[in-house]
């Protein structure tokens, strides 16, 4: 858990946020930038988490609009726990914070979780993840998430071939519409981003989709909890 930082990617880039990183993931991408953290976990009761929030005065900042982001790994591997946690928060403090979920879009969200999430940051993986197509491309789930009004899809690109893959495997089959797509440059360090940012922006402009930098890397270089 880390708070009073910024959302570094996607539609809400730059918004002050608190992150809760959950253990476990449905995939294991070769380039994963959080592989050093999500395979391990620490068990906390809800009360222990709330006490940590209270000890730094976080509840007031969440009430004032700081986002609460459930990330991983894969938060949807623990959907029931996420629902119970958010309901316990609401019961204890009398309000629901603005909730974002980072989601690789291979598990279907439950109705209970859908009712509690304000924004879905979906991040389908490309072939460069070295994951098999059947593990990372779930057409029915992609189509469902695309229909949600509070849902976007982030794709990390390194070259024009990556965009061609997005077009071929996600847009043309009708899984995702272009208006939902956000293009981001590949790079886990400032130096790497400097070599891919321009191309990613050019692709976004040419294809008429949204561009997002990776602001946390731009500011703090390689970091998984800042």
């Amino acid at each position: 858990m880390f708070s009073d930082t910024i959302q570094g990617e996607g539609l809400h880039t730059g918004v002050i946020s608190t992150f809760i990183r959950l253990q476990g993931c449905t995939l294991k991408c070769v380039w994963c930038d959080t592989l050093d953290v999500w395979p391990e976990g620490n068990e906390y009761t809800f009360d222990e988490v709330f006490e940590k929030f209270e000890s730094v005065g976080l509840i007031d900042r969440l009430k004032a609009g700081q986002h609460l982001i459930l990330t991983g790994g894969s938060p949807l591997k623990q959907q029931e726990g996420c629902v119970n946690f958010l309901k316990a928060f609401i019961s204890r403090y009398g309000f629901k914070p603005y909730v974002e979920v980072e989601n690789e879009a291979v598990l279907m969200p439950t109705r209970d979780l859908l009712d509690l999430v304000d924004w879905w940051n979906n991040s389908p993986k490309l072939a460069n993840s070295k994951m098999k197509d059947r593990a990372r491309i779930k057409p029915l789930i992609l189509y469902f998430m695309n229909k949600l009004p509070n849902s976007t899809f982030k794709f990390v690109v390194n070259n024009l071939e990556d965009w061609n893959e997005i077009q071929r495997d996600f847009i043309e089959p009708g899984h995702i519409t272009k208006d939902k797509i956000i293009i981001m440059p590949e790079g886990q360090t400032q130096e790497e981003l400097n070599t891919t940012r321009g191309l990613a922006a050019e692709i976004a402009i040419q294809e008429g989709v949204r561009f997002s930098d990776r602001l946390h890397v731009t500011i703090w270089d390689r970091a998984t909890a800042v």
Side-chain angles (χ1 to χ4, degrees):
M1 296 178 287
F2 46 105
S3 62
D4 300 324
T5 185
I6 59 169
Q7 168 61 285
E9 302 175 349
L11 190 69
H12 293 115
T13 296
V15 173
I16 309 303
S17 301
T18 291
F19 286 78
I20 298 180
R21 189 179 300 283
L22 302 182
Q23 182 185 15
C25 191
T26 58
L27 304 174
K28 193 173 183 180
C29 304
V30 295
W31 41 253
C32 180
D33 60 357
T34 57
L35 189 57
D36 57 333
V37 286
W38 63 253
E40 303 294 334
N42 299 298
E43 293 187 2
Y44 292 96
T45 66
F46 293 166
D47 284 343
E48 287 172 334
V49 175
F50 297 150
E51 288 166 7
K52 286 181 177 292
F53 284 6
E54 293 167 5
S55 70
V56 294
L58 181 59
I59 303 304
D60 287 341
R61 296 195 291 282
L62 289 169
K63 190 171 186 178
Q66 184 166 152
H67 288 196
L68 178 62
I69 302 175
L70 303 180
T71 187
S74 175
L76 267 65
K77 289 195 73 175
Q78 302 186 50
Q79 292 194 62
E80 183 178 358
C82 291
V83 168
N84 291 338
F85 173 77
L86 293 172
K87 286 183 175 179
F89 184 103
I90 295 167
S91 176
R92 183 171 178 133
Y93 300 111
F95 74 97
K96 187 187 78 65
Y98 190 100
V99 177
E100 296 184 48
V101 171
E102 304 291 337
N103 175 36
E104 68 281 8
V106 299
L107 295 175
M108 186 68 78
T110 65
R111 181 72 260 173
D112 286 343
L113 187 59
L114 285 166
D115 289 342
L116 291 165
V117 174
D118 296 283
W119 202 264
W120 293 91
N121 298 311
N122 305 294
S123 300
K125 308 311 177 190
L126 301 177
N128 58 25
S129 67
K130 304 302 181 184
M131 298 297 302
K132 294 181 179 180
D133 291 1
R134 65 175 181 270
R136 61 184 177 83
I137 301 178
K138 304 291 184 179
L140 291 179
I141 296 172
L142 292 167
Y143 183 79
F144 177 84
M145 299 305 297
N146 188 74
K147 289 296 184 181
L148 296 178
N150 57 337
S151 176
T152 49
F153 294 83
K154 303 180 296 180
F155 285 96
V156 176
V157 299
N158 188 41
N159 49 53
L160 185 58
E161 287 71 27
D162 288 338
W163 172 259
N164 292 338
E165 182 184 342
I166 295 168
Q167 183 79 32
R168 182 189 69 241
D169 293 345
F170 295 92
I171 298 174
E172 290 178 1
H175 305 331
I176 300 173
T177 52
K178 287 181 72 173
D179 63 298
K180 293 278 192 173
I181 291 178
I182 300 174
I183 292 296
M184 300 191 306
E186 192 279 330
Q188 298 183 25
T189 67
Q190 293 171 351
E191 182 179 5
E192 291 171 354
L193 276 182
N194 288 337
T195 67
T196 58
R197 184 185 291 112
L199 176 61
E202 289 176 8
I203 292 173
I205 293 168
Q206 180 177 336
E207 299 298 334
V209 297
R210 191 181 184 110
F211 170 84
S212 170
D213 203 350
R214 308 185 78 178
L215 196 57
H216 52 301
V217 180
T218 300
I219 297 172
W220 292 293
D221 211 356
R222 185 183 179 101
T224 56
V226 291

